[in-house]
Amino acid sequence: MLNNPDRSLNPEEVPGRISLLNEHVEEACSKAYRARGDVQVELAVKYQTPAKVLAALNAGSHLLGHNIIQQLEASEKALAELSAPAHRTHVIGHVQRNKLRRAMEYAQCIETVDSIELAKKIDVIAQQMGFATYDVMLQVNSSDAPTQFGIAPKELPALAENIASLEHVRIIGLMTIGAHSTDEREIARSFALTRRLAEDLRERGHQHVRELSMGMTGDMAIAIAEGSTIVRIGTAVFGPREV
Ligand SMILES: *Cc1c(COP(=O)(O)O)cnc(C)c1O
C-alpha cells in the first residue's frame, strides 16, 4: 500500500510522490494482469497552487482534473504564464450551466455529464466555439448514493442514445465515484457495474466509449482491478488539501 502524506506537500516534494504513485499503479496493473499503458493517472488538482501543479507537469504528468471552474480558469492561466508543459485538462466536478462555456474554454473534456439538458448546452457551445466535437464522459451513480451526482445505471442507455444524436458531442467514456464504503467488495461492485455499463454501450454502437474514469487515492487498486483506464489522484501526490 502507498502511505499517504499527513500534511500538504511543497512543490519540491511532488516529483518523489509521483514516482511512488507510479510504482503503486504499476503494481496494481501487474496484479490485475493489465498493461501499465492502459491506465492513465489524472491528477485531481483542486485547491493546489500553480507551483505544485507545475512541479507535477514537469515530473511527467500530462492529465489534470479540476472540480471548480473558477480554479480551472485561474490555474490554466497561471500555468500558461509559467510556460508549463503541454497537458490535457478534464472537468471532474459538477458544472453549473452558467459556467459551462468557461469550462469548455479551459478543459478538453467534461467527465460529469449526467443529463440531456447539459449535453445539449455543450453541443450548442461546441458549435459556437468551432469544435467539430467536444469530448464528454457520462457520470454514473454506480452505488445508488442519494448524495451523488450521476445518472442512474438503468437510465444510462437512453441518455447515451439521446446524446449520440447531438452532432458536436462525443462520448468517450464513463466516470464514477465508487461506493463510499469500507467494504472493498462493495466498492469493487460499483466499479464492475460501471465497466459492464460501458461494455453495454459499446455493444449498442457507442464505439468511442473507451475510458473508465474510476478510482481515487483510497481505492485506485480496486478500480484498476475492475478495469479503470483513468485513476483520479489528489491526496497521494499532493498530501491532504488545505481548504
Ligand atoms: C478530489 C477528487 C479526487 C481525488 O481524490 P483523492 O482522494 O484526493 O485522491 C478524485 N475524483 C474527484 C471527482 C475528486 O473531486
Side-chain angles (χ1 to χ4, degrees):
M1 233 340 250
L2 187 59
N3 281 321
N4 293 320
D6 57 4
R7 58 178 174 82
S8 180
L9 301 181
N10 302 314
E12 310 79 68
E13 297 173 289
V14 165
R17 293 302 307 179
I18 290 181
S19 302
L20 287 174
L21 171 65
N22 281 334
E23 284 172 24
H24 186 66
V25 170
E26 193 165 324
E27 194 183 307
C29 285
S30 129
K31 275 189 184 148
Y33 303 100
R34 299 189 56 203
R36 172 64 185 87
D38 291 348
V39 180
Q40 291 188 73
V41 171
E42 174 175 21
L43 293 180
V45 296
K46 55 182 177 278
Y47 301 106
Q48 305 301 344
T49 60
K52 279 171 86 169
V53 180
L54 180 65
L57 293 172
N58 283 335
S61 299
H62 41 74
L63 180 58
L64 307 178
H66 269 282
N67 293 69
I68 301 156
I69 305 311
Q70 220 166 320
Q71 289 181 9
L72 162 71
E73 177 177 9
S75 177
E76 289 299 321
K77 281 182 170 164
L79 290 172
E81 294 263 312
L82 294 164
S83 304
H87 57 277
R88 189 172 154 92
T89 304
H90 291 185
V91 170
I92 59 174
H94 183 71
V95 197
Q96 291 168 314
R97 305 291 144 82
N98 60 348
K99 304 243 171 79
L100 203 48
R101 186 179 299 269
R102 259 201 298 162
M104 291 170 65
E105 262 173 58
Y106 293 97
Q108 291 76 49
C109 173
I110 294 176
E111 296 192 12
T112 50
V113 172
D114 60 1
S115 72
I116 186 63
E117 290 75 24
L118 190 64
K120 278 181 176 165
K121 192 127 197 231
I122 292 172
D123 184 55
V124 169
I125 296 171
Q127 181 168 26
Q128 289 168 350
M129 289 175 77
F131 295 131
T133 57
Y134 187 85
D135 288 348
V136 302
M137 296 192 207
L138 306 186
Q139 183 176 355
V140 180
N141 185 346
S142 59
S143 61
D144 204 18
T147 55
Q148 275 189 26
F149 289 110
I151 184 92
K154 64 174 177 359
E155 292 167 20
L156 180 69
L159 176 63
E161 192 62 40
N162 283 333
I163 294 177
S165 70
L166 303 173
E167 207 177 324
H168 304 283
V169 179
R170 184 171 72 156
I171 308 170
I172 63 164
L174 300 182
M175 179 272 208
T176 200
I177 294 168
H180 278 292
S181 171
T182 49
D183 181 352
E184 292 202 357
R185 286 161 308 177
E186 203 179 317
I187 299 170
R189 261 199 301 278
S190 62
F191 291 148
L193 169 63
T194 307
R195 186 193 61 222
R196 284 197 304 275
L197 290 168
E199 286 163 0
D200 176 59
L201 289 185
R202 278 196 296 275
E203 278 166 22
R204 290 168 187 260
H206 301 277
Q207 82 258 26
H208 299 295
V209 174
R210 293 281 153 211
E211 306 292 351
L212 280 173
S213 174
M214 49 190 208
M216 312 195 284
T217 291
D219 55 17
M220 67 179 119
I222 304 172
I224 288 169
E226 297 299 339
S228 171
T229 67
I230 297 178
V231 287
R232 307 179 307 268
I233 307 299
T235 307
V237 166
F238 299 113
R241 286 173 283 275
E242 286 172 344
V243 182

